[in-house]
Amino acid sequence: MVIVDEKLKHIAFIMDGNGRWAINRGLSREAGHTQGAKTFERVVKYCGDIGVKCVTVYAFSTENWSRPKSEVDRIMLLLERYLDRMMKRMDEYDVCVRFIGDKQPLSDTLKKKIQRVEESSGGKTLRLNIALNYGGRAEIVHAVNTLISRGTCSVTEEMISENLYTADCPPPDLIVRTAGEQRLSNFLMWQSAYSEFYFTDTLWPDLKEEDIDLAVESFYKRTRRFGGVLKSEAVPKSPH
Ligand code: IPE
Ligand code: IPE
Ligand code: MG
């Protein structure tokens, strides 16, 4: 178990590979999502245990509506069940949950459950953002439209950042994607400008605490320059 410090406040996960995990076992894709939901709960708990302040998970993208209805329905049902469990035992979940994305197309039942959990889970140790019907492009468009509706004619980077769904969180220090794909798939496009990326071939349902340790260890070996030059890397003074 690795313990993180203020250098690693926010980890984001692209939870990919549920479908392949199930197909490899001759199971339905839905079964893969059921298993993936268990991994999600374990990962969130572990991140809290190692001292991470904020976790963002990509649960469903704006593009994932194109999947078969049975699969979409299962993902939504799994989220409902998670929210039900959380509502029943709120004090056991030391997390403050926020959904990021456009909630409007969600079912009324899910919307109500989200609202109840969001209202009752403030002030906890770990902030958990669940990206649901989330798209990075849609989020930026939403931020700009919010500003326009307030009469803004020109925007700054700060104004856009302040109007994203994640406005009250630091940007992700580390983005972990499982299942071998090395792409963002429209996740946190704005916020990931200086994030470190960690890709693993492990499928999401197979992800273990040790795999998170490996990602964290990899993060601590990186040099983050944010476009600058570190003192230790500065060119030595020329004798001339
Ligand atoms: C989970 O993995 C991601 C979600 C969209 C919920 P996938 O369902 O994309 O799994 P693969 O990529 O098909 O294996
Ligand atoms: C990204 O995974 C979305 C989530 C993890 C929710 P996808 O499986 O939808 O991404 P692509 O289609 O492989 O890029
Ligand atoms: Mg996938």
Side-chain angles (χ1 to χ4, degrees), residues 148-163:
I148 291 173
S149 70
R150 290 191 203 131
T152 312
C153 310
S154 89
V155 298
T156 62
E157 291 189 13
E158 286 70 29
M159 286 159 82
I160 293 184
S161 296
E162 283 161 12
N163 284 280

Side-chain angles (χ1 to χ4, degrees), residues 13-189:
F13 292 93
I14 302 178
M15 312 188 285
D16 198 17
N18 292 351
R20 277 165 278 178
W21 182 91
I23 300 304
N24 291 345
R25 283 166 176 72
L27 302 169
S28 68
R29 293 182 56 85
E30 288 76 19
H33 295 302
T34 302
Q35 196 62 31
K38 292 180 187 157
T39 305
F40 153 72
E41 291 216 35
R42 273 207 343 267
V43 166
V44 172
K45 180 164 183 323
Y46 190 65
C47 286
D49 291 346
I50 64 173
V52 173
K53 297 279 173 283
C54 180
V55 171
T56 301
V57 293
Y58 204 5
F60 192 87
S61 74
T62 45
E63 289 73 44
N64 287 149
W65 295 106
S66 64
R67 296 188 178 205
K69 185 174 180 303
S70 56
E71 184 174 345
V72 172
D73 287 349
R74 174 66 67 94
I75 295 169
M76 299 301 164
L77 182 68
L78 288 163
L79 280 161
E80 281 190 32
R81 287 190 190 149
Y82 173 67
L83 294 172
D84 289 343
R85 280 198 300 283
M86 201 175 229
M87 254 343 266
K88 260 194 214 142
R89 293 177 289 140
M90 191 57 88
D91 43 326
E92 282 176 32
Y93 288 79
D94 196 16
V95 288
C96 169
V97 181
R98 294 292 175 265
F99 279 75
I100 63 170
D102 180 10
K103 296 183 184 107
Q104 198 270 327
L106 307 177
S107 75
D108 287 342
T109 321
L110 183 53
K111 274 193 263 197
K112 268 186 207 126
K113 289 181 181 184
I114 288 174
Q115 194 187 352
R116 278 176 61 203
V117 165
E118 285 188 336
E119 282 171 4
S120 0
S121 74
K124 303 286 178 89
T125 316
L126 179 70
R127 164 70 177 261
L128 170 63
N129 297 315
I130 301 180
L132 178 60
N133 189 27
Y134 173 89
R137 290 179 178 175
E139 181 183 35
I140 297 167
V141 169
H142 174 262
V144 172
N145 280 330
T146 306
L147 290 161
I148 291 173
S149 70
R150 290 191 203 131
T152 312
C153 310
S154 89
V155 298
T156 62
E157 291 189 13
E158 286 70 29
M159 286 159 82
I160 293 184
S161 296
E162 283 161 12
N163 284 280
L164 297 176
Y165 298 119
T166 54
D168 54 345
C169 294
D173 301 296
L174 173 64
I175 298 182
V176 175
R177 182 165 187 155
T178 56
E181 314 301 346
Q182 302 194 356
R183 55 177 172 256
L184 214 43
S185 301
N186 206 5
F187 187 48
L188 302 180
M189 288 174 61

